[in-house]
Amino acid sequence: MSVESAALDTWLPRETLAVASRLTHWITENARSTRAFLKRLDAAVGIAAPVQGQHITELPRAAHKKGDHAPQAQGDAQARELLDPALQGHDVGLVSEAGMPAIADPGSAVVRAAHGLGLRVVPLTGPVSLMLALAASGLNGQNFAFVGYVPQESADRARRLRELEALALKTGQTQILIETPYRNSALLQALLHNLHPHSRLAVSCAMSLPQQVSRSALVSEWKRSTALTSALPLETPAVFLFGR
């Protein structure tokens, strides 16, 4: 069963779906995928206005490429403009491609702007792959850091991974990484090549989807067992975690 055929309430709580069904204004990472989501939402629980009548505004492209977590006058000013409908009395939904907006996805500038404008900010429960992967990893869930992407160039990537592993071994802090799906296999190989054999490495793929898989073992065990890697759908979004 694919995510397209899975019922929405298998991965989004009913209350979240109920709130989304009442909205007619959206700030989104991608308007096309949001329209597709609204069509499925309409089929499941109904929506307040036809898809073509929904007001969908995309975040600036710069937020996709560089993120929007660092306060910048221009970016925050743009975010305030996106919230004009909220100032006119409309509830506005913030939605990302997958996971949770403003956590490993764009949207934090909109949240900052909403607070600055005195608007009520209400996060809705949904799948957050980083936390699901951490829960499935067996690694330290009391002290962890999401470090995002590591460099693509092999020497820089190796240097960064060793820096993060040294921190993990010294402090016990779990390190959490992500990568673009088509680079997942390369990142996994880099982790196996550069991490200490006694470090623990966990990989979770397609979290909250029917085909989700999580594997956790020492690096030395990953290297000995091809079964660990062969079962991973690395072509799907994945979360990589390591530590002691």
Side-chain angles (χ1 to χ4, degrees):
M1 182 169 62
S2 68
V3 64
E4 287 79 13
S5 62
L8 285 181
D9 59 7
T10 65
W11 53 278
L12 283 175
R14 289 184 180 273
E15 178 59 24
T16 297
L17 295 176
V19 172
S21 72
R22 299 195 294 266
L23 300 180
T24 57
H25 289 74
W26 301 87
I27 299 170
T28 180
E29 193 174 354
N30 184 289
R32 181 178 179 180
S33 61
T34 298
R35 292 189 191 97
F37 166 72
L38 289 171
K39 289 179 181 178
R40 296 184 62 200
L41 182 65
D42 191 24
V45 298
I47 53 179
V51 173
Q52 61 268 29
Q54 297 271 343
H55 300 270
I56 302 173
T57 304
E58 289 189 341
L59 289 163
R61 295 303 300 174
H64 297 214
K65 299 294 184 181
K66 300 179 181 179
D68 57 354
H69 52 279
Q72 296 176 350
Q74 182 180 1
D76 284 8
Q78 290 176 330
R80 285 174 178 255
E81 291 178 4
L82 295 177
L83 289 168
D84 280 345
L87 297 176
Q88 298 167 15
H90 298 283
D91 289 333
V92 178
L94 175 63
V95 60
S96 62
E97 285 287 83
M100 180 74 76
I103 300 180
D105 272 329
S108 57
V110 175
V111 177
R112 282 197 305 276
H115 284 296
L117 293 168
L119 299 171
R120 186 183 181 211
V121 175
V122 181
L124 298 175
T125 303
V128 183
S129 59
L130 303 178
M131 297 299 97
L132 295 173
L134 179 60
S137 71
L139 287 156
N140 188 353
Q142 305 298 317
N143 183 8
F144 55 89
F146 171 60
V147 298
Y149 297 85
V150 293
Q152 295 177 31
E153 198 281 320
S154 58
D156 291 339
R157 183 173 54 197
R159 188 179 306 109
R160 179 60 172 155
L161 291 176
R162 288 165 184 158
E163 289 174 354
L164 293 172
E165 184 183 40
L167 177 63
L169 296 177
K170 180 179 179 181
T171 66
Q173 183 183 76
T174 299
Q175 306 299 307
I176 307 175
L177 317 174
I178 57 173
E179 185 51 276
T180 303
Y182 72 87
R183 296 194 187 105
N184 281 340
S185 293
L187 177 56
L188 177 57
Q189 292 307 311
L191 288 163
L192 295 177
H193 179 73
N194 289 287
L195 296 184
H196 191 278
H198 296 300
S199 288
R200 175 166 290 273
L201 172 64
V203 184
S204 287
C205 300
M207 298 308 290
S208 81
L209 301 182
Q211 66 268 39
Q212 68 176 336
V213 176
S214 293
R215 294 287 184 267
S216 179
L218 299 181
V219 170
S220 58
E221 295 170 336
W222 280 93
K223 291 181 175 181
R224 285 198 303 268
S225 175
T226 57
L228 286 169
T229 55
S230 62
L232 291 173
L234 289 171
E235 70 280 1
T236 65
V239 181
F240 301 82
L241 312 91
F242 62 87
R244 67 188 189 193

